[in-house]
Amino acid sequence: MFIRKQAATTAWSERSEKYCRNKEAPWPIMFLNIPDKLSRRLNIFLLFVFLLAWFSVLLLWFPTTNTTTPQPNHMNDTKSLAPIPMCDGRVSVYVYSLPPEFNVGLLDDCHHLNVYTDMCPHVANCGLGQLLSGMGSGASWFATHQFIAEMIFHARLENHPCRTWDPSRADLFYIPFYGGLHASSKFRDPDLKARDSLAVKLAEFLQAQPWWLKHHGKDHFLALGRTAWDFMRSEEDPDFGANSLLILPPVQNMSVLTVERHPWKGSNQHGIPYPSYFHPSTANEMLTWQNKMRQSVRPHLWSFVGAPRKGLEKAAIRDKILAQCAGSTRCKLVRCGSAESKCHEPSEVLGVMATSRFCLQAPGDSFTRRSTFDSVLAGCIPVFFSPHTAYTQYAWFLPEDPDAYSVYIDEKGNGSQRIEEELLKIPRERVERMRDRLIEMIPRLTYAHPNASGFGFRDAVDVALAALSKHVLTKTS
């Protein structure tokens, strides 16, 4: 349970309660939540009794003798997470209180937020989705949808220590627009004006705000849970359902965080991780998982979780991967697309990756994949076939040297014809160094539980805020 200062009521806190049922109230409120029939005097008496009992427990439980507290073993591993100040004063972010139609109001029609699936189970728990059982101790594992990062980002910033309620003190202004959820609800709408209407309305709203005028939006940012392609409709390209959010002039002044940036036209776009299934609340949960992945036995040299993609040039490599993996005793293949497929079962996906040394990450409908971040979480070295799957996307989150944590095989080169042979060439010592570096990266590519505070590591939101603050400073100074 975490003690937090109560903030003024916002549209988020009023409308999101049924989607964030796991929020904890500060303990004084929970303790004094007594029926109105009892008198104020009884409330004060109960509080006095509680405090007296609490101090008594402290005296008995923590004796004043000078003793040394043993340190936890962490599975006999010497690696640990040092305490990190989550907000050192260099980042101060103001969260706009938008009209509900731009975010939580959209959730009221969650059955129709995606033309392909019912999103109601996925918007639960602040966007984490349904709690998973059998994946580990505590409430840290969720069936999180791959395109839900915007909700998680919003929930994290609502409770973030770097948040300020005074816009005059802010160097970043966050606009909690659920653009991805809205876009996916309109993919099949033939009316282009209807597709664009909410984005246009948001731009008009922002330009009327006093804090927008200071830098004309250069210190404002959005976080989107879908790829940039879904917001950059072009008259030259085929219409696959996108809107025009990211090509609106006011939005081009802002910074846009997205799970996939446009490699050539995304100068104001910055890649953020796809959410995986692990959302820890404490450093101990993170350490326990990292150590488990370090000790995981990996009998499979390589694995692939995916399906073929027809008619997509950038996905042609998948046919090669599927054929080579199916014909190898060293490869574990999880083929997606059939009714019997287990691709959407987190325990199955992570189970395969946690027992593999290399996980192949081929482009699909777009360049990037959520599977990349599942493989990092499982300590499985990603193998890329396009630089746009990771290297040109997530510069704020990945090491500068891609060879330190990944393998690159040119999809048009000879190496793609003999993938297994290429992987066998890599010395065991280098594989171990790469895996160790990969597991060290897990915290910064993970979205911590929105209710957590002071958990001792920087998650994806912390990393993004720090990098964004530096970036905005160069634009506004």
Side-chain angles (χ1 to χ4, degrees):
M1 187 175 298
F2 306 98
I3 302 174
R4 290 194 291 267
K5 180 179 179 181
Q6 287 298 284
T9 302
T10 64
W12 163 266
S13 61
E14 293 171 354
R15 296 290 297 271
S16 67
E17 196 63 33
K18 65 180 178 180
Y19 306 108
C20 295
R21 295 185 184 279
N22 58 342
K23 284 192 172 183
E24 292 181 308
W27 67 261
I29 292 179
M30 295 181 70
F31 176 71
L32 293 177
N33 188 19
I34 301 172
D36 294 335
K37 294 180 180 180
L38 295 182
S39 67
R40 183 180 183 87
R41 184 173 300 176
L42 179 57
N43 272 330
I44 296 174
F45 174 74
L46 289 175
L47 177 60
F48 174 77
V49 172
F50 173 81
L51 292 174
L52 182 62
W54 178 249
F55 284 119
S56 299
V57 169
L58 289 177
L59 289 174
L60 292 173
W61 194 264
F62 299 104
T64 57
T65 55
N66 187 16
T67 59
T68 302
T69 304
Q71 298 299 312
N73 192 8
H74 291 311
M75 299 184 182
N76 297 319
D77 196 284
T78 58
K79 297 180 181 292
S80 62
L81 292 171
I84 297 175
M86 291 298 103
C87 195
D88 54 12
R90 290 180 293 182
V91 179
S92 183
V93 58
Y94 177 77
V95 180
Y96 270 94
S97 180
L98 297 181
E101 64 181 312
F102 294 115
N103 43 49
V104 295
L106 295 169
L107 307 182
D108 293 338
D109 192 24
C110 56
H111 294 292
H112 303 103
L113 283 177
N114 190 303
V115 297
Y116 306 110
T117 187
D118 181 358
M119 289 298 291
C120 289
H122 303 294
V123 301
N125 294 316
C126 307
L128 302 184
Q130 302 299 308
L131 186 65
L132 292 172
S133 60
M135 292 288 290
S137 60
S140 298
W141 292 91
F142 295 81
T144 305
H145 195 275
Q146 64 175 332
F147 295 129
I148 205 73
E150 58 203 32
M151 269 195 77
I152 301 174
F153 215 96
H154 186 192
R156 281 278 288 114
L157 287 188
E158 283 289 315
N159 292 326
H160 202 277
C162 293
R163 180 181 184 179
T164 178
W165 294 90
D166 181 359
S168 67
R169 300 180 60 185
D171 51 24
L172 294 176
F173 292 80
Y174 168 57
I175 304 159
F177 177 43
Y178 295 174
L181 291 174
H182 177 258
S184 62
S185 72
K186 299 290 184 180
F187 279 158
R188 292 176 181 165
D189 193 335
D191 187 342
L192 301 185
K193 187 175 181 179
R195 276 194 228 158
D196 295 342
S197 61
L198 195 62
V200 172
K201 193 172 183 179
L202 176 69
E204 293 173 347
F205 171 86
L206 292 173
Q207 291 178 91
Q209 305 306 307
W211 299 105
W212 174 274
L213 301 176
K214 184 177 181 180
H215 295 293
H216 301 285
K218 292 181 180 180
D219 50 1
H220 286 52
F221 73 98
L222 288 169
L224 298 173
R226 298 194 69 91
T227 71
W229 309 91
D230 293 329
F231 311 96
M232 300 180 72
R233 187 180 66 249
S234 170
E235 295 181 359
E236 293 78 25
D237 299 323
D239 179 18
F240 56 88
N243 64 36
S244 61
L245 172 68
L246 296 189
I247 61 176
L248 297 176
V251 177
Q252 290 184 329
N253 269 4
M254 299 160 41
S255 296
V256 177
L257 311 184
T258 172
V259 293
E260 179 174 335
R261 61 183 296 273
H262 195 298
W264 308 286
K265 300 179 181 179
S267 59
N268 69 324
Q269 300 167 13
H270 309 277
I272 57 174
Y274 283 85
S276 191
Y277 311 106
F278 185 42
H279 306 284
S281 297
T282 67
N284 186 61
E285 290 174 344
M286 176 59 74
L287 281 168
T288 299
W289 178 256
Q290 287 177 290
N291 290 327
K292 183 176 181 179
M293 291 302 97
R294 289 187 182 101
Q295 298 179 6
S296 180
V297 178
R298 302 177 185 269
H300 308 301
L301 174 65
W302 57 301
S303 64
F304 180 65
V305 179
R309 289 289 191 276
K310 303 298 182 183
L312 293 172
E313 181 181 354
K314 63 177 174 290
I317 185 64
R318 287 184 173 230
D319 292 335
K320 297 179 183 179
I321 293 173
L322 289 167
Q324 293 180 51
C325 185
S328 171
T329 58
R330 293 188 175 98
C331 183
K332 177 66 176 178
L333 177 62
V334 180
R335 187 183 291 267
C336 305
S338 65
E340 296 79 20
S341 171
K342 296 184 178 181
C343 290
H344 299 293
E345 297 183 15
S347 59
E348 182 72 20
V349 171
L350 292 179
V352 169
M353 292 181 172
T355 54
S356 303
R357 280 168 269 176
F358 298 96
C359 289
L360 275 59
Q361 305 300 335
D365 295 328
S366 64
F367 288 114
T368 62
R369 304 183 76 203
R370 196 260 282 275
S371 178
T372 296
F373 300 95
D374 293 340
S375 71
V376 173
L377 180 62
C380 184
I381 299 167
V383 180
F384 298 119
F385 300 87
S386 167
H388 305 310
T389 302
Y391 304 148
T392 64
Q393 295 288 339
Y394 311 109
W396 290 352
F397 299 88
L398 302 178
E400 292 186 10
D401 180 10
D403 293 336
Y405 66 93
S406 68
V407 175
Y408 180 74
I409 297 177
D410 188 344
E411 61 182 324
K412 297 180 180 179
N414 293 331
S416 65
Q417 305 291 339
R418 48 175 191 272
I419 295 172
E420 187 169 296
E421 183 178 334
E422 292 297 310
L423 297 178
L424 286 170
K425 291 179 182 178
I426 304 174
R428 177 177 296 181
E429 294 77 13
R430 183 188 166 198
V431 171
E432 292 176 353
R433 288 196 303 270
M434 294 166 71
R435 184 182 304 120
D436 194 53
R437 184 66 182 274
L438 197 71
I439 292 173
E440 289 177 356
M441 291 161 50
I442 292 176
R444 65 190 292 109
L445 297 175
T446 297
Y447 291 92
H449 197 291
N451 286 351
S453 62
F455 32 73
F457 63 89
R458 286 194 174 100
D459 76 336
V461 173
D462 298 317
V463 173
L465 289 180
L468 186 59
S469 180
K470 294 179 181 178
H471 173 72
V472 167
L473 183 62
T474 65
K475 294 170 59 179
T476 57
S477 58

